[in-house]
Amino acid sequence: MRTIKKIHNAVFRPVGDLITWSPLPTPTLAHIDPFLFLNHHGPQHYERNNDGLPFGPHPHRGMETVTFILEGDILHKDSGGHESVIKAGGVQWMTAGKGLIHAEVSTEDFMKNGGDLELLQLWLNLPSRLKKTEPRYLGLQKNQIPAIVLDDGKVQMNLVSGEWEGEQGAFDSLTDISLCTIYFKAGGQLVLNIPLDNNIFFYVIRGRVSVNETDVKERQLVEFEHNAEEMQILSSANSMVLLGYAEPLKEPMVAYGPFVMNSEAEIQEAYDDYRSGKLGSWQE
């Protein structure tokens, strides 16, 4: 089995009244190439007549965002003309590429009536050859994402991207990143074989699991060595895990604010392009 290098605790970083835990980056771990950033918002309950999510129009370049809506909803809108409302169980994948402006806010219905909210947003780096690719966006609801039932119903894998035993994920990754959320009932078991050269992103959203005979609890991120392919997961309680794996890019990286590029000069160029309107214009 692949050896665990270290277990990292998420850091509490609220955004206004939005409960937020950040497993990546933290003082103990900068990133897991090509996985750059994860914010875990909630879980929390919003009362009626709330202000909803605070993520108004802002730019991105050189990276991708993958947002998992566990509870509540998100209204996505961007300068490329994409707009959708994704509800609980759905996922949205945005490739910023050469740059765009987007907003992720709550719907009028959620702000009026309130409800439970829990979200994950993961940032993925793009290789230099794709930093200026055309932006794209796809939002899919829960019933559009393959749900693979395993271990006599005690495990369910929601296959976001990549492949599992012949089943293809819902999204086509430009960089062959595999992503899934996995739900475990108490006693559920899963064994995976992950290519030796891949970096693994393993985050326990809720519950408690044993990974390669090491206990991991909710809001903990696992960092692995590269000494074996096998991963064994056993859940001692109802649990949910975010799992990703991919080949590392092994490229220089400069991240500043919403831009992720390969050099300081490219970061400055991104800001200049944003100010001059080259990342698109925003219209309410």
Side-chain angles (χ1 to χ4, degrees):
M1 294 184 292
R2 189 176 293 217
T3 302
I4 290 176
K5 184 176 182 179
K6 190 170 183 178
I7 296 174
H8 304 267
N9 293 312
V11 175
F12 186 53
R13 293 177 180 145
V15 182
D17 64 352
L18 178 60
I19 294 171
T20 302
W21 296 86
S22 296
L24 195 71
T26 66
T28 60
L29 185 63
H31 68 284
I32 302 175
D33 185 13
F35 304 96
L36 300 177
F37 170 100
L38 180 68
N39 263 355
H40 182 178
H41 303 296
Q44 69 187 94
H45 181 78
Y46 277 73
E47 300 298 332
R48 292 174 60 86
N49 301 316
N50 63 79
D51 294 327
L53 293 169
F55 305 118
H58 58 281
H60 285 292
R61 172 179 278 181
M63 38 77 76
E64 302 182 284
T65 64
V66 185
T67 308
F68 303 80
I69 298 89
L70 307 182
E71 296 289 347
D73 63 30
I74 283 188
L75 168 60
H76 169 97
K77 182 179 179 182
D78 66 50
S79 56
H82 305 107
E83 186 170 347
S84 70
V85 174
I86 304 300
K87 299 182 178 181
V91 177
Q92 54 184 28
W93 192 310
M94 186 187 78
T95 302
K98 68 179 184 181
L100 47 59
I101 301 168
H102 79 145
E104 295 165 305
V105 296
S106 301
T107 61
E108 289 187 7
D109 180 70
F110 185 89
M111 290 188 287
K112 178 182 177 181
N113 297 309
D116 294 331
L117 181 74
E118 186 173 14
L119 311 169
L120 301 172
Q121 186 168 91
L122 177 66
W123 290 15
L124 307 172
N125 199 6
L126 285 171
S128 57
R129 64 183 177 84
L130 293 174
K131 291 290 188 188
K132 297 290 185 71
T133 194
E134 286 296 321
R136 66 177 191 171
Y137 168 83
L138 179 62
L140 297 177
Q141 305 294 355
K142 179 179 179 179
N143 63 2
Q144 296 175 289
I145 298 169
I148 303 168
V149 178
L150 306 163
D151 192 20
D152 296 325
K154 289 184 287 187
V155 177
Q156 178 176 304
M157 176 187 291
N158 297 327
L159 194 57
V160 175
S161 67
E163 181 268 344
W164 173 263
E165 296 185 348
E167 183 90 42
Q168 294 298 316
F171 295 84
D172 178 23
S173 166
L174 292 174
T175 54
D176 294 326
I177 287 177
S178 295
L179 280 175
C180 62
T181 51
I182 311 173
Y183 292 83
F184 293 89
K185 294 180 180 178
Q189 301 183 60
L190 180 63
V191 177
L192 304 102
N193 286 287
I194 296 171
L196 197 62
D197 62 347
N198 279 204
N199 279 344
I200 296 173
F201 188 93
F202 188 100
Y203 176 65
V204 179
I205 301 165
R206 62 177 72 113
R208 180 185 293 269
V209 300
S210 171
V211 185
N212 294 354
E213 301 179 348
T214 299
D215 286 338
V216 187
K217 59 186 180 181
E218 64 184 20
R219 297 197 295 268
Q220 288 187 327
L221 179 69
V222 182
E223 184 183 7
F224 290 89
E225 301 283 4
H226 287 268
N227 58 349
E229 293 188 346
E230 186 172 296
M231 175 190 290
Q232 296 183 5
I233 309 168
L234 171 62
S235 182
S236 56
N238 292 342
S239 304
M240 184 180 182
V241 168
L242 173 61
L243 172 66
Y245 51 94
E247 290 187 24
L249 301 181
K250 298 180 180 178
E251 293 183 350
M253 185 189 72
V254 180
Y256 196 86
F259 305 128
V260 183
M261 303 302 291
N262 297 108
S263 69
E264 294 282 357
E266 289 175 324
I267 292 290
Q268 185 59 55
E269 179 187 41
Y271 274 101
D272 291 344
D273 288 349
Y274 171 54
R275 295 187 187 103
S276 66
K278 292 182 180 179
L279 273 63
S281 60
W282 186 262
Q283 296 181 350
E284 294 292 346

